[in-house]
Amino acid sequence: MRRLPANFLLGAVLVSLVVGVAALSLIWTPHDPQTMSISTKFAPPSAEHWLGTDQLGRDVVAQLMAAARNSMTVALVAVLLGGSIGVALGLLASALGGWVEDGVMRLADLGFAFPALLFAIMLAAVFGPSLTNAVLAISFINIPIFARVTRASANQIWTRDYVAAARAAGRGRFAISRDHILPNIAAAIIVQATIEFAVAILAEAALSYLGLGAQPPASSWGRMLSEAQTLMYLAPQLAIYPGLCIVVAVLGFGLLGDGLRDITDPRLARAR
Amino acid sequence: MAYFLFRRTLGFVLTLLAVSVVVFAVMNVLPGDPALTILGMDASEDALAALREQLGLNAPLVTRYVSWVWNALQGDFGISHSFRVPVSELISERLPMTISLAVAGMLVTLVLALSLGITAAAQHGRAGDWGVMFLSQLGIAVPAFWLSILLVMLFAVKLRWLPPGGFAGWDDPVAALRSLILPTVALALVQSAVLARVTRSSALEVMRQDFVRTARASGLSHRRILWRHVLPNALVPIVTIVGMQFAALVTGTIVIENVFYLPGLGRLIFQSIANRDLPTVQALVMLFAAIVVTANFVVDLLYVVIDPRLKARA
Amino acid sequence: MIELSNLSVHFGHAAALRDANLVIERGDRLGVVGESGSGKTLLALCLMGMAPDSARLTGQLSIDGQDMARAAERDWQRLRSRWVAMVFQEPMAALNPLRRVGDTVIEPMLLHDGLTRRAARDRALSLFEEVGIPDPDRRLRQFPHEMSGGQRQRVLIALALACNPMLLIADEPTTALDANVALRITDLLQRLAREREMALVFISHDLAAVARATEDIVVMYAGDMVERGRTAAVLGAPVHPYTKGLLGARPDVGVAGRNADGKRRRLPTIPGSVPPLQGLPEGCRFAGRCPVELPQCATQRPAFTQTEVARGAACHLLTEARHD
């Protein structure tokens, strides 16, 4: 067994930390994240409030934990939704080829013209800002990314001998896609999904910061930062913690993704 | 060569058209009745009818789309619902801010990323390399808006060297430049983290090639080899990323303008969303998407300028 | 003048080059032969100051009276092009693909000789003519991908000659080329060395090419110089079993002039291959592959023994013969 790469190990540790805290917040937080208490606003760190309280006397740790849960949920839904549509489109393009493949790839190119923020802006203008719109926008930008990766990896598998054998045995293109192509490109897709998870966390934070994502009273690292920005003369510490959480989460998934790629594709790892 | 240019230009125009269809559809079809979206549920039927008339909503969709594109091509994006002035006027007032921010951000990004990336490659495996790689890994994970807040807290609140935000206009150029320093740095630091990585790995790949040994055997200095021989050859992947980063940079200006309260297009978009000013949002989204598509088109053309081998093939 | 005395190169504890002794003067044409792994390319890189960073050099390497064995990169930069220049094995990748070949060739002239662009271009033009590139005016403006392998190798030779070096090193300059082109490049190098009174170190697998191009020869095995002498003498009557092996025990092969038909002769294979650096035998490094085996071969390193003026080999057989 080869030694696991350092980026994978560090990534795994950070990801377990963030995911663990998010999962823990489902059953336990030190306080209710939404309970306000004006009498204890801007409390310094103490045994009662580990990182103190915010401008409304809400416990910072509890809010950070709830925000971690929201962030993970948004990223998970966005990557699963956009990823599965993208993978399906990529498999379809690769299996059918010809004008279908061209069409799907042109659509993917088109998708790249819209960064998540632009898409979220359009949806917010039409439907009003909401977390659902943010999730939809992030999912949308994942579609072309996964479609491209899937098609590129699938096209390689289609040239393999065992696929040719399956075709000779009279198996249909969709059955082959499901039984032979998909299992063989799963590693590439998982690597991409891990990296896009990090991107989605960043995107959710940015959208929530701009008011296009999580709406009050939902906790979000991005929204906590936008509130903290108006208070930076009074309580600069409030602008530190949520940012650190974002960095840890994004760094964790990014490193994990890089590490997974190094493990699953040693050729690439050596090329670096 | 001419054929290549023709194909690329055609593709570019078609993509722009497709983008306009998407923007138009999302903004006009999804909401059902844009007039209702703009005025809200409790608007009177008369007011709705009047707004529909003003926005030309009574015409069929296709006609509305064609006239939108046709007018837009002539610089007419309609009248802003909330500002009561032509959208084109709003855009031209705020465009200089966004352009300055994007161009300054790109320039600082290029300078930072190319020098850091090349230095890291030259120091491959040594402390400088590790340092650059660590910083860039971290930089990729830091949200631009958080970095902005930290920069403001340090340089504006604590040290009081620079203004925390806002913009007093171009009349006082020194004050204007001072207001742009922190936004530019915030924008560029995050972008250059990605680009420095790509520069490094691309340069490392080039440094393994035989012609670098030839250059060394001709008695050229390390510095000259790195900047004159390695960097140009490493540019193709770098330019690809720069093209893609332009999308991130444009989005970045939207965010950064809102962090620093700068009167640019990004700020305008958010004001328009708050005001339910659909014509303005539609024009701005189209404009930003067009910038992204154009950046990718320019990158395609740049490849040919950079690499004479592609010219032969194209 | 370039002089190596007891130059050794170590990687960690393993010696990849041992006690190389060599004197190269203007007009010398020296062939260096041996299998891959014999240390001949490392020798060339040492002469250019381009041994890998992990290499540790001991002994002396003097160029123009200065000892360069432990010199800094900056000092070497001054010598390259003007004192020593090198043509590498693979002409396809050895030119910057984004530069016009003319710009590549004039770069060292501008840098080292301080020529104006105009003067440098004129010199490049005459160099292109000298190395046999037809239509040099147009060729100077071409990119590498527009040229054939043979032409690129000529461009690289022109580049190496840009600052009139005292020594030109050609490391397997013809391996990547087809037979006819290879022959012409070999002859070109030989002619250039004679006409310019420049020293030539010609490194090759190809004994026929070495026979055509050089007057003296060094045979290398696993980092040792095992036999040396006049090219015709060594190839005509090899002493060392390794040289004999290289020649496939056919005394007629490789004597100058015999291969004028331009046929490339592949080296007849000696069973086995050069052992890896970490697994070198104690005594004679050829022990184990050598057809002759004396008791001391496995334990004692054979000293280099002079048999005639400028002729000798490092083999226990020679000393045995003396004792008899």
Side-chain angles (χ1 to χ4, degrees):
Chain A
M1 183 67 200
R2 226 154 37 89
R3 245 187 71 218
L4 291 170
N7 48 6
F8 174 82
L9 291 175
L10 183 57
V13 169
L14 296 181
V15 165
S16 324
L17 184 73
V18 176
V19 172
V21 167
L24 179 64
S25 78
L26 288 170
I27 50 170
W28 179 85
T29 49
H31 293 269
D32 178 80
Q34 306 309 343
T35 305
M36 305 178 201
S37 144
I38 301 299
S39 58
T40 58
K41 68 177 181 180
F42 296 130
S46 64
E48 173 74 11
H49 300 286
W50 298 339
L51 292 176
T53 61
D54 69 2
Q55 73 279 13
L56 298 173
R58 294 173 295 190
D59 182 63
V60 171
V61 173
Q63 284 200 71
L64 288 175
M65 288 177 70
R69 184 181 64 215
N70 289 340
S71 176
M72 293 303 110
T73 314
V74 168
L76 189 68
V77 173
V79 171
L80 279 184
L81 190 65
S84 39
I85 298 175
V87 169
L89 283 176
L91 282 176
L92 190 76
S94 178
L96 296 181
W99 66 267
V100 177
E101 184 169 15
D102 285 347
V104 169
M105 286 307 115
R106 287 287 83 79
L107 275 181
D109 287 346
L110 183 59
F112 279 109
F114 294 98
L117 181 56
L118 277 193
F119 213 77
I121 284 171
M122 284 198 287
L123 293 180
V126 172
F127 298 113
S130 73
L131 191 58
T132 318
N133 286 343
V135 173
L136 282 179
I138 303 171
S139 310
F140 178 80
I141 58 148
N142 271 307
I143 297 175
I145 296 172
F146 279 90
R148 274 195 180 172
V149 169
T150 305
R151 171 183 160 268
S153 329
N155 278 355
Q156 284 178 3
I157 307 293
W158 274 103
T159 63
R160 301 275 165 85
D161 288 344
Y162 55 81
V163 174
R167 294 187 70 174
R171 302 217 52 197
R173 286 166 178 276
F174 294 105
I176 294 176
S177 287
R178 188 189 59 222
D179 297 343
H180 295 289
I181 310 291
L182 195 53
N184 279 296
I185 62 172
I189 292 173
I190 290 170
V191 167
Q192 195 66 39
T194 315
I195 291 167
E196 295 309 323
F197 209 94
V199 176
I201 295 170
L202 260 182
E204 185 274 331
L207 291 175
S208 294
Y209 168 81
L210 291 169
L212 299 179
Q215 301 297 313
S219 301
S220 156
W221 293 327
R223 227 171 54 68
M224 290 174 79
L225 280 174
S226 80
E227 286 172 11
Q229 191 185 359
T230 61
L231 302 165
M232 61 189 159
Y233 289 89
L234 280 171
Q237 77 278 6
L238 292 180
I240 304 290
Y241 312 127
L244 282 180
C245 289
I246 298 173
V247 170
V248 168
V250 175
L251 195 60
F253 280 98
L255 287 172
L256 187 67
D258 284 352
L260 280 174
R261 179 167 44 203
D262 293 351
I263 293 170
T264 55
D265 194 347
R267 189 175 47 83
L268 268 179
R270 244 184 289 120
R272 273 172 230 220
Chain B
M1 185 68 196
Y3 177 68
F4 168 83
L5 277 181
F6 173 73
R7 273 193 56 141
R8 281 299 147 97
T9 315
L10 188 70
F12 168 62
V13 172
L14 287 180
T15 311
L16 272 185
L17 271 182
V19 167
S20 70
V21 170
V22 171
V23 173
F24 185 82
V26 172
M27 304 294 293
N28 290 272
V29 183
L30 279 190
D33 185 353
L36 197 64
T37 311
I38 292 173
L39 293 181
M41 284 302 182
D42 34 61
S44 73
E45 196 50 49
D46 287 350
L48 284 173
L51 183 61
R52 279 193 203 110
E53 183 60 40
Q54 189 207 323
L55 295 176
L57 294 182
N58 296 322
L61 267 182
V62 178
T63 317
R64 278 160 57 199
Y65 169 73
V66 171
S67 71
W68 176 60
V69 171
W70 182 248
N71 291 333
L73 283 177
Q74 291 159 340
D76 174 10
F77 291 97
I79 307 288
S80 157
H81 176 68
S82 56
F83 291 90
R84 311 265 171 206
V85 291
V87 174
S88 53
E89 214 167 276
L90 291 176
I91 291 180
S92 54
E93 272 167 24
R94 288 160 176 79
L95 195 59
M97 166 58 66
T98 303
I99 299 261
S100 333
L101 200 52
V103 169
M106 196 78 243
L107 286 180
V108 176
T109 301
L110 282 174
V111 170
L112 259 181
L114 292 187
S115 27
L116 284 179
I118 292 281
T119 309
Q123 295 247 323
H124 185 42
R126 280 178 280 162
D129 190 17
W130 286 107
V132 170
M133 288 305 279
F134 175 77
L135 282 181
S136 84
Q137 185 80 51
L138 199 65
I140 289 168
V142 172
F145 58 91
W146 185 51
L147 182 66
S148 308
I149 297 174
L150 294 182
L151 288 173
V152 169
M153 291 205 303
L154 179 61
F155 292 102
V157 177
K158 195 150 181 98
L159 299 171
R160 296 179 182 279
W161 288 352
L162 293 165
F167 188 74
W170 297 100
D171 296 337
D172 180 355
V174 177
L177 282 180
R178 276 165 51 91
S179 332
L180 286 181
I181 291 179
L182 287 184
T184 304
V185 169
L187 198 56
L189 278 185
V190 174
Q191 297 293 320
S192 46
V194 183
L195 194 58
R197 256 168 189 261
V198 177
T199 306
R200 169 184 175 272
S201 59
S202 178
L204 280 179
E205 202 130 300
V206 174
M207 282 162 71
R208 274 193 286 269
Q209 292 183 26
D210 283 351
F211 71 82
V212 173
R213 191 180 54 181
T214 308
R216 201 173 156 216
S218 310
L220 308 191
S221 66
H222 273 317
R223 180 187 290 265
R224 192 177 175 92
I225 293 173
L226 276 177
W227 291 96
R228 298 289 191 86
H229 291 261
V230 173
L231 184 62
N233 276 281
L235 272 184
V236 169
I238 294 173
V239 164
T240 311
I241 299 294
V242 169
M244 291 204 279
Q245 272 197 315
F246 208 80
L249 200 84
V250 166
T251 329
T253 58
I254 300 180
V255 177
I256 293 291
E257 281 173 16
N258 281 285
V259 180
F260 289 97
Y261 308 103
L262 299 175
L265 296 177
R267 194 90 190 107
L268 180 61
I269 277 199
F270 275 82
Q271 288 163 346
S272 309
I273 294 175
N275 296 331
R276 303 251 154 166
D277 189 345
L278 290 194
T280 310
V281 174
Q282 183 173 328
L284 288 173
V285 169
M286 184 63 217
L287 184 64
F288 277 113
I291 293 175
V292 172
V293 174
T294 311
N296 286 326
F297 174 60
V298 171
V299 163
D300 274 349
L301 298 186
L302 271 184
Y303 288 146
V304 186
V305 178
I306 294 174
D307 195 334
R309 286 166 297 183
L310 293 176
K311 202 178 283 170
R313 246 177 279 151
Chain C
M1 190 179 85
I2 296 174
E3 189 171 359
L4 309 188
S5 56
N6 292 322
L7 185 76
S8 299
V9 177
H10 286 82
F11 292 98
H13 290 291
L17 187 67
R18 274 202 303 190
D19 300 323
N21 289 293
L22 204 57
V23 177
I24 303 169
E25 311 229 28
R26 265 193 190 283
D28 284 355
R29 279 176 287 128
L30 175 72
V32 179
V33 298
E35 293 161 290
S36 38
S38 61
K40 52 194 198 309
T41 295
L42 182 62
L43 175 70
L45 290 176
C46 285
L47 288 171
M48 293 293 295
M50 285 169 62
D53 288 343
S54 51
R56 194 164 45 81
L57 273 67
T58 51
Q60 249 127 54
L61 194 187
S62 85
I63 297 181
D64 188 28
Q66 312 171 56
D67 186 17
M68 299 297 293
R70 276 158 298 273
E73 172 71 15
R74 197 166 278 279
D75 298 321
W76 273 108
Q77 281 165 14
R78 279 194 285 272
L79 295 188
R80 294 182 195 138
S81 267
R82 302 177 79 176
W83 276 85
V84 286
M86 185 158 171
V87 175
F88 294 94
Q89 186 168 356
E90 181 54 72
M92 301 314 274
L95 284 164
N96 187 335
L98 303 190
R99 283 195 163 206
R100 296 176 197 280
V101 295
D103 291 337
T104 300
V105 171
I106 65 172
E107 194 175 15
M109 305 178 195
L110 304 177
L111 234 57
H112 298 298
D113 290 351
L115 294 193
T116 61
R117 280 195 78 85
R118 204 182 168 75
R121 214 190 82 92
D122 289 345
R123 195 197 276 180
L125 212 58
S126 65
L127 274 176
F128 269 35
E129 265 161 26
E130 192 180 350
V131 299
I133 298 177
D135 199 359
D137 206 26
R138 187 173 62 91
R139 289 294 182 184
L140 277 175
R141 275 177 276 122
Q142 284 191 325
F143 287 99
H145 71 269
E146 298 170 298
M147 305 183 124
S148 69
Q151 281 169 335
R152 290 187 214 189
Q153 195 60 292
R154 287 176 198 266
V155 170
L156 284 161
I157 293 170
L159 171 64
L161 297 178
C163 297
N164 292 313
M166 181 242 150
L167 165 66
L168 175 67
I169 305 163
D171 184 12
E172 307 267 7
T174 59
T175 323
L177 305 174
D178 69 54
N180 259 325
V181 182
L183 190 70
R184 273 186 254 133
I185 295 284
T186 306
D187 286 345
L188 171 67
L189 288 169
Q190 194 248 98
R191 193 190 52 157
L192 286 170
R194 266 189 303 133
E195 288 174 1
R196 293 174 155 255
E197 283 196 18
M198 172 180 75
L200 174 71
V201 168
F202 188 92
I203 297 173
S204 187
H205 283 105
D206 183 350
L207 295 183
V210 171
R212 279 177 83 88
T214 66
E215 292 182 300
D216 298 284
I217 193 170
V218 168
V219 181
M220 294 190 66
Y221 182 81
D224 288 342
M225 292 184 167
V226 292
E227 182 163 4
R228 63 201 305 169
R230 303 297 278 181
T231 305
V234 171
L235 295 184
V239 175
H240 197 285
Y242 177 65
T243 316
K244 289 180 184 161
L246 280 183
L247 285 162
R250 285 176 299 169
D252 59 319
V253 172
V255 174
R258 289 273 169 125
N259 288 60
D261 57 330
K263 244 197 222 146
R264 266 263 280 284
R265 289 182 189 270
R266 285 258 145 243
L267 282 184
T269 45
I270 305 169
S273 59
V274 183
L277 265 187
Q278 283 73 25
L280 288 170
E282 276 289 290
C284 173
R285 289 185 164 179
F286 193 47
R289 290 179 78 195
C290 187
V292 194
E293 198 88 21
L294 300 174
Q296 62 268 47
C297 285
T299 52
Q300 249 182 306
R301 179 178 166 192
F304 190 87
T305 315
Q306 193 117 358
T307 52
E308 297 159 39
V309 180
R311 176 84 215 267
C315 179
H316 289 302
L317 282 174
L318 288 178
T319 32
E320 281 293 300
R322 289 270 167 85
H323 290 309
D324 289 345

